[in-house]
Amino acid sequence: MFLLMKRREKVYPIKFLLILFISMIFGININGQKKNSTKFNTVVIDAGHGGKDPGALGGNIHEKDVVLAIALKVGKYVNEYLPDVKVIYTRDKDEFIPLYKRAEIANKSDADLFISIHANYISDPRIHGVETYALGPARSNENLEVAKKENSVIVMEDEYTTKYEGFDPNSAESYILFEYMQSTYVEQSTLMASLLQKQFHDRAGRKDRGVKQAGFLVLRNITHPSVLVEVGFLSNKAEEKYLMSDKGQTYIASAIFRAIRDYKKQYDEKSTEVKTAKKEKVEKKPDITYRIQVASYRHMIKKGSGIYKKFKDIYFYKEGNRYKYTTLSSSDYFDITNKLRQVQKKAPGSFIVAFEGDKKIPVSDAIKITNTEK
Ligand SMILES: [Zn+2]
């Protein structure tokens, strides 16, 4: 930091110091929500649907009953075989829980993982198999249809138009929002999804339909890694029978449990590595991006409205319950401070934020890292 300041001190030393100071304060405040424990210790198991919402209707069984039976078995296995992991159910009985409530339960618990369990239904009775989703833009119509179907349950909720900011689960346009969503946890969520698919195939002998992405509302507001599993098709006679049976439910639940166990193992190993190699990491090639934060909203805003009117180059990220909008970027702190002065003419309250990869970090940390590099 000292070296950097010296190099430019003739140009604008006081301004620079002021900006640095302000950024550091912001950095420290923003980082206040961190988890204390570095080990994997809480999982949220979300049985889809419930109560007045039956979910998909098979010939003989409702989705809500199949997924609850599986969810409870998963929780039982975790309690039994991973006693240091706390299990939280979004529901443990036949009960209607709005989607936003499920995210609330997960976020309040500061969980390490959220798994939403569902069963699928499609007009073609031949289609069968298991697929797992991470949050993101759907790459095929088929995936979009699955998200639409699962999201459409919100119309059963009171005041859903205000709760979901006018999101229309059946309009393709609503899903454009997911194109611009950057989940901080894509990598971990995708890892979990692939561990699940591996277990469904290897352990339960199910057809592996792969890891996918789509815009699921239940995952949208969750502030940690999260996946949605479609454990099979109730529209396929044989699969419905399998999912109704205690044996089928046991195999599926045990596959989910094994994936949680494997994920925990990797997570715990990584956190130990990070601890011991922290110093080394600083010396490795840093991936730091500075951006200028220009606005923060409680709700996601549409392209062309709000802050989009003032700035062309908008990138947003989610932190806690807020959507934070940034403009411009640079890997160089001085460069971004120059840009900041221009931006502040249009948005006086704007300030610098820093990211390491996709992860937001305090600006003071970012400066330390970029300085070590120089
Ligand atoms: Zn469902």
Side-chain angles (χ1 to χ4, degrees), residues 49 63 118-119 150:
H49 313 277
E63 177 184 356
H118 289 259
E150 298 294 6

Side-chain angles (χ1 to χ4, degrees), residues 52-180:
K52 65 181 175 186
D53 167 24
L57 302 174
N60 298 295
I61 196 162
H62 294 168
E63 177 184 356
K64 67 171 183 177
D65 298 320
V66 177
V67 297
L68 179 61
I70 293 170
L72 294 176
K73 274 186 195 284
V74 175
K76 203 183 107 199
Y77 297 149
V78 174
N79 284 330
E80 205 171 322
Y81 299 109
L82 297 172
D84 56 330
V85 175
K86 190 174 160 197
V87 173
I88 293 167
Y89 298 105
T90 52
R91 68 177 180 103
D92 57 5
K93 52 181 177 290
D94 187 16
E95 186 183 5
F96 181 79
I97 314 267
L99 292 187
Y100 72 89
K101 268 262 161 64
R102 296 171 193 254
E104 262 175 33
I105 293 168
N107 292 342
K108 265 186 208 150
S109 72
D110 198 15
D112 299 294
L113 190 61
F114 176 90
I115 304 175
S116 191
I117 304 173
H118 289 259
N120 225 328
Y121 192 94
I122 201 161
S123 53
D124 185 345
R126 290 167 301 178
I127 293 176
H128 65 282
V130 189
E131 57 200 30
T132 305
Y133 286 85
L135 184 71
R139 299 284 175 220
S140 76
N141 253 343
E142 206 186 353
N143 299 353
L144 177 63
E145 288 308 315
V146 175
K148 277 187 183 174
K149 206 160 30 189
E150 298 294 6
N151 292 339
S152 66
V153 304
I154 62 171
V155 302
M156 293 186 184
E157 298 175 15
D158 300 329
E159 294 178 64
Y160 78 91
T161 43
T162 47
K163 289 278 185 213
Y164 300 95
E165 303 126 45
F167 186 92
D168 176 357
N170 297 310
S171 132
E173 274 188 353
S174 293
Y175 290 83
I176 292 169
L177 292 172
F178 291 98
E179 296 284 341
Y180 303 104

Side-chain angles (χ1 to χ4, degrees), residues 231-246:
V231 295
F233 288 81
L234 299 180
S235 41
N236 178 279
K237 279 271 169 295
E239 201 150 65
E240 184 193 22
K241 204 176 158 200
Y242 176 82
L243 290 171
M244 279 171 70
S245 72
D246 186 58

